[in-house]
């Protein structure tokens, strides 16, 4: 059973901006899934459609087999969502916020009261249960929103940039909490523009850019793809097939061009030694960049640039 | 971890959805009632002060000079009108500000992501408007009793008209809030439409005082029927036929309820 199946989803906003250009996504049950992409890529729009906060233009969404158009209520019952923007009632107490949210999902107050204690304790907010949301710090508000998303015990938890604006220690403890929830059987999808976050938490990843999914694979495979570098070499003499280069992966592009892949950090000298040994004379060489790599460079830079860090 | 109610069979789905919506409705009603209590200085006090002033100035001071209107002492004539006026402004005002602030501060999303039906959401907010309107109505009635004795000629008519009117204006407040994008938008309708209709709706005078032409014009005002229907319930006198009053209120109710449902379903003003 898949937790989420998105097919050919598009979204054009009222101002004509096409935020999603037809995305397909499948998240299996139990997965810890990252939707990674730079600001403006369309992550929040996609989440908004899945959680009924944004009207889609076309396409379909299924949550645990329930179609969002045809079995709206059943689909919605499966989902808990922590939005990117704080959407708490600032003058309500933590406890009331959670009890009310439980009520919207049909959880009676008696049952809700016990869950409120369970989740407020788990998220270290129990001491603040009778304080109004406005009095909480940024990180606490975020945690309160996580508790709120879990109060009806959904099977799919969606978090939109859950750790933006949260200091590093709390971020770590939130990661720990999300791992526990996932191990307890809840499928988790999170969006982030921090590569590190996706890398340390998630099993599978989709990378979205300008409204298109440009990569969708396991985290391990994506990391492997990123840890290699490809070079296009132009050869003096034509070759008919990809030459054997003592284990370096080679592809023939055309009879004068081959593409060689190296792990990052592997020495180029040894490659050229092999080439010389095989009497292959290289006229020119260029690095092959791909979109994924470019995007990742951007994401990594973004992460390292202090002004982009939202730490409290 | 996963004991979520799963509507499996069709019949089961219907049943559990009904339960979810009932609990959800109660939750919204509780929350709205709590809001009225929490900000009582904004919700209850101002209308009570305004209405007390009306009673003192129009009822006592000016009313003594006026004498009778439609055969009843002026104070008794305006008491139902003023109660109705507070019901109209407070039901409208409660829903417009509650829904609009939920939308503006985004916590309306708490309901939008939930499995609650749009009807439940609409009814919950309407119930909130009715709670505020009735609380104010009770206090205003108590204030009126300081100045005069009030009898209720037709209790059922009195109660049904006041509740239906509160529903209609709660719905109107909801629709206003759906379309509103900024705080100014919330006051345009009450100032430019609601206030004139209410003041000209027979709160302070019988339309028999108007010239025949203006009487015809006054009959186009739906508020007139509500105020006079209520006055008929209390005093047994009215400018209009009570059946027409019911018919008009019911038509407004159906039209506004349907409009609110369609707007929420389409996501107008709340979903991009
Ligand atoms: N309500 C809206 N109206 C018009 N354009 C929007 C709206 N919301 C988002 N967008 C645009 O859609 C694109 C995707 O935005 P978003 O989904 O928020 O991206 P992300 O969450 O990946 O940062 C952006 O170009 C953004 O400006
Ligand atoms: Mg976003």
């Amino acid at each position: 059973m898949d937790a989420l199946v998105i097919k050919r989803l598009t979204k054009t906003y009222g101002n004509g901006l096409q935020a999603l250009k037809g995305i397909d996504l499948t998240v299996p049950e139990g997965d810890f899934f990252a939707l990674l992409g730079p600001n403006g890529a369309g992550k929040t729009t996609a989440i908004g459609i899945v959680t009924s906060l944004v009207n889609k233009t076309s396409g379909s969404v299924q949550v645990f087999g329930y179609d969002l158009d045809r079995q709206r209520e059943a689909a919605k019952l499966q989902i808990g969502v922590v939005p990117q923007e704080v959407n708490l009632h600032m003058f309500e107490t933590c406890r009331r916020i959670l009890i009310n949210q439980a009520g919207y999902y049909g959880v009676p107050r008696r049952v809700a009261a016990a869950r409120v204690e369970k989740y407020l304790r788990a998220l270290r907010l129990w001491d603040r249960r009778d304080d109004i949301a406005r009095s909480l710090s940024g990180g606490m508000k975020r945690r309160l929103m996580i508790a709120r998303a879990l109060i009806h015990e959904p099977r799919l938890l969606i978090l939109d940039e859950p750790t933006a604006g949260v200091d590093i220690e709390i971020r770590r403890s939130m990661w720990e909490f999300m791992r526990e929830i996932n191990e307890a059987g809840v499928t988790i999808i999170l969006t982030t523009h921090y590569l590190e976050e996706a890398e340390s938490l998630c099993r599978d990843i989709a990378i979205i850019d300008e409204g298109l999914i440009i990569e969708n694979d396991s985290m391990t495979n994506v990391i492997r793809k990123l840890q290699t570098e490809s070079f296009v070499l132009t050869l003096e003499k034509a070759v008919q097939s990809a030459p054997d280069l003592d284990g370096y992966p080679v592809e023939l592009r055309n009879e004068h061009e081959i593409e060689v892949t190296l792990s990052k950090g592997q020495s180029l000298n040894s490659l050229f030694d092999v080439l010389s040994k095989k009497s292959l004379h290289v006229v020119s060489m260029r690095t092959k960049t791909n979109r994924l790599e470019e995007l990742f460079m951007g994401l990594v830079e973004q992460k390292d640039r202090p002004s982009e860090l939202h730490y409290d | 971890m996963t004991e979520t109610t799963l509507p499996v069979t069709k019949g089961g789905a219907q049943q559990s959805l009904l339960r979810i919506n009932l609990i959800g409705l109660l939750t919204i009603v509780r929350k709205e009632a709590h809001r009225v209590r929490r900000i009582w200085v904004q919700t209850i006090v101002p209308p009570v002060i305004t209405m007390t002033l009306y009673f003192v100035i129009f009822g006592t001071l000016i009313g003594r000079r006026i004498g009778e209107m439609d055969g009843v002492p002026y104070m008794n004539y305006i008491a139902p009108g003023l109660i109705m006026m507070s019901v109209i402004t407070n039901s409208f005002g409660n829903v417009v500000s509650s829904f609009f602030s939920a939308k503006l501060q985004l916590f309306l999303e708490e309901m939008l992501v939930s499995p609650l039906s749009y009807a439940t959401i609409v009814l919950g907010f309407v119930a909130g408007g009715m709670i505020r309107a009735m609380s104010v109505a009770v206090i205003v009635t108590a204030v009126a009793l300081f100045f005069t004795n009030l009898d209720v000629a037709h209790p059922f008519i009195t109660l049904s008209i006041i509740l239906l009117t509160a529903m209609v204006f709660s719905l109107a407040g909801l629709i206003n809030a759906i379309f509103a994008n900024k705080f100014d938008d919330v006051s345009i309708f009450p100032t430019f439409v609601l206030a004139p209709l209410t003041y000209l709706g027979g709160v302070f005078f019988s339309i028999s005082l108007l010239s025949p032409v203006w009487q015809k014009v006054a009959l186009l005002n739906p508020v007139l029927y509500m105020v006079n229907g209520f006055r008929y319930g209390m005093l047994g006198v009215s400018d209009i036929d009570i059946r027409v009053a019911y018919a008009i209120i019911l038509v407004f109710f159906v039209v506004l309820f349907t409009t609110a449902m369609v707007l929420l379903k389409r996501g107008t003003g709340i979903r991009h």
Side-chain angles (χ1 to χ4, degrees), chain B residues 29-30 32-33 36 44 94 126-136:
Chain B
V29 174
R30 260 207 191 95
E32 287 301 301
V36 173
I44 305 289
N94 197 69
V126 166
M130 293 173 73
I131 288 170
R132 156 107 165 257
M134 295 313 286
S135 314
V136 173

Side-chain angles (χ1 to χ4, degrees), chain A residues 53 55 76 87 119 148 153, chain B residues 4 109-110 112 114 271:
Chain A
L53 294 173
N55 287 333
K76 282 171 134 191
N87 66 348
Y119 289 107
R148 187 184 59 184
E153 311 215 311
Chain B
T4 318
E109 292 178 0
E110 294 178 338
L112 298 181
S114 82
R271 252 181 279 131

Side-chain angles (χ1 to χ4, degrees), chain A residues 218-249:
Chain A
S218 72
M219 198 71 222
T220 352
N221 283 348
V222 170
I223 294 296
R224 190 158 54 224
K225 281 180 205 167
L226 283 170
Q227 281 165 348
T228 59
E229 228 167 340
S230 297
F231 297 93
V232 177
L233 309 180
T234 311
L235 304 174
E236 196 182 50
K237 290 192 206 110
V239 290
Q240 295 315 311
S241 60
D244 170 24
L245 292 182
D246 288 1
Y248 286 100

Side-chain angles (χ1 to χ4, degrees), chain A residues 94-107:
Chain A
C94 297
R95 201 206 295 257
R96 260 181 201 283
I97 287 172
L98 297 187
I99 297 248
N100 285 342
Q101 191 67 22
Y104 302 154
Y105 284 87
V107 181

Side-chain angles (χ1 to χ4, degrees), chain B residues 154-166 230 246 249:
Chain B
H154 309 286
F156 176 78
I157 293 178
T158 309
L159 199 64
S160 57
I161 294 270
I162 202 170
L163 289 174
L164 285 168
T165 305
F230 184 66
Y246 274 114
I249 295 175

